[in-house]
Amino acid sequence: MDVLANCRFRTKVLVGLLPLVIMILAGSLYSSYEMRTMNGWYSDLIYTNINVLRNLIIATGLNDRFGQLLYKEIAERDVDRMRVVDADLDQVNLEFRSVVEEARRSSPDLAQAIDAAAALFQKAVADSRPVRAEAQGNNNEKAMDLMRRVSDPELLAARRALLTLREEMRTSVSRKSAELAIRTHRTIIVRWVVISLGLLVSFAIALWIAQVEVVKAVLSFRNRILEVAQGRLDAPIPDLSRPN
């Protein structure tokens, strides 16, 4: 504080405000950096993880639809409608491949698990060929027998694998979202701590200026008044209006 002894009062006030300005700038820079980083993480969470989860939900629906269409083809009596249903089965298979491939591209870390679930569905598709052939030949009893013994268990296994992946993705999204929330709260707390520290330092400097400068000037004026009262008329009266 001896450095400020010969400074003007205005300069001392500005120096007292300097820590507050520095702390505000530091807190703002820190929070801006953290918010920018977290914005990237949120974007990854939304456009990657949630996109994968959406594709897995669609794939599960397509798996269920494939089974429903198989039953519909078995129950259908009209040959033309049966061909339409059979074409729908091929279309569902193409859509399943598309959404699974998009999920693999979005999340390479889960590619192996996604491929495993997709392989179960593709096996069910391949093994459904005899069911479809029997249905088109109006051999409904044999088609239903193959459906119960082969297609239903395989489609159910594929569905369970997809549901397991969906649960893993949902858990991962929830965990990352919680981590981002914690980091956001920490950033807010750190910013206010830094600003509060700046306020305390500035308040301490302002208090020192008040103690040293103002009190010193008042005491000096008091001493001069006492000297005049004691008969020392030649004692100069300090000019308090002159800026320090």
Side-chain angles (χ1 to χ4, degrees):
M1 296 299 182
D2 293 338
V3 180
L4 301 177
N6 297 322
C7 294
R8 294 179 177 273
F9 184 77
R10 183 184 303 168
T11 303
K12 294 176 181 179
V13 171
L14 293 176
V15 171
L17 294 175
L18 186 60
L20 177 60
V21 174
I22 293 175
M23 291 302 184
I24 291 177
L25 288 175
S28 298
L29 289 174
Y30 170 78
S31 60
S32 297
Y33 172 78
E34 287 292 307
M35 290 301 179
R36 185 174 181 180
T37 301
M38 287 184 287
N39 181 61
W41 288 0
Y42 272 116
S43 298
D44 180 70
L45 181 67
I46 294 172
Y47 295 108
T48 300
N49 294 280
I50 294 182
N51 185 51
V52 173
L53 182 59
R54 181 182 65 85
N55 286 324
L56 290 176
I57 292 173
I58 295 174
T60 306
L62 291 171
N63 178 86
D64 296 341
R65 177 164 172 73
F66 192 88
Q68 293 169 1
L69 287 173
L70 279 176
Y71 277 109
K72 184 176 180 180
E73 186 171 16
I74 294 171
E76 187 59 61
R77 292 291 182 267
D78 185 81
V79 175
D80 293 334
R81 291 179 181 177
M82 192 180 298
R83 289 174 181 171
V84 172
V85 174
D86 199 67
D88 288 341
L89 286 167
D90 292 333
Q91 181 62 33
V92 168
N93 185 29
L94 290 176
E95 292 177 6
F96 185 93
R97 290 174 180 268
S98 177
V99 296
V100 165
E101 182 59 30
E102 185 177 350
R104 290 180 76 260
R105 288 196 303 267
S106 299
S107 182
D109 294 340
L110 290 175
Q112 186 174 359
I114 292 173
D115 288 342
L120 292 174
F121 177 78
Q122 293 304 321
K123 186 176 186 304
V125 171
D127 292 343
S128 71
R129 295 296 176 183
V131 177
R132 296 162 70 177
E134 295 295 340
Q136 291 175 15
N138 289 323
N139 299 320
N140 293 340
E141 291 184 4
K142 192 172 182 179
M144 286 297 295
D145 180 64
L146 289 172
M147 189 69 190
R148 286 191 296 266
R149 289 190 299 105
V150 180
S151 296
D152 275 345
E154 290 179 349
L155 289 171
L156 180 59
R159 189 176 195 278
R160 286 173 176 170
L162 290 169
L163 289 176
T164 299
L165 272 175
R166 284 169 53 180
E167 188 60 32
E168 290 177 359
M169 286 301 304
R170 188 177 291 107
T171 302
S172 176
V173 169
S174 298
R175 183 180 67 253
K176 291 180 180 179
S177 178
E179 291 174 355
L180 286 172
I182 292 173
R183 185 159 182 173
T184 300
H185 294 159
R186 183 178 63 192
T187 300
I188 295 173
I189 291 173
V190 169
R191 180 178 182 180
W192 281 109
V193 167
V194 170
I195 293 176
S196 298
L197 183 60
L199 284 171
L200 290 175
V201 174
S202 296
F203 179 77
I205 294 177
L207 185 62
W208 174 82
I209 293 174
Q211 290 290 334
V212 175
E213 298 298 324
V214 178
V215 175
K216 181 180 178 181
V218 172
L219 290 176
S220 176
F221 183 78
R222 175 178 176 275
N223 291 334
R224 295 297 186 272
I225 294 298
L226 290 175
E227 290 176 354
V228 171
Q230 293 173 358
R232 297 181 57 185
L233 300 178
D234 58 340
I237 298 177
D239 186 5
L240 297 181
S241 65
R242 183 179 61 83
N244 292 328

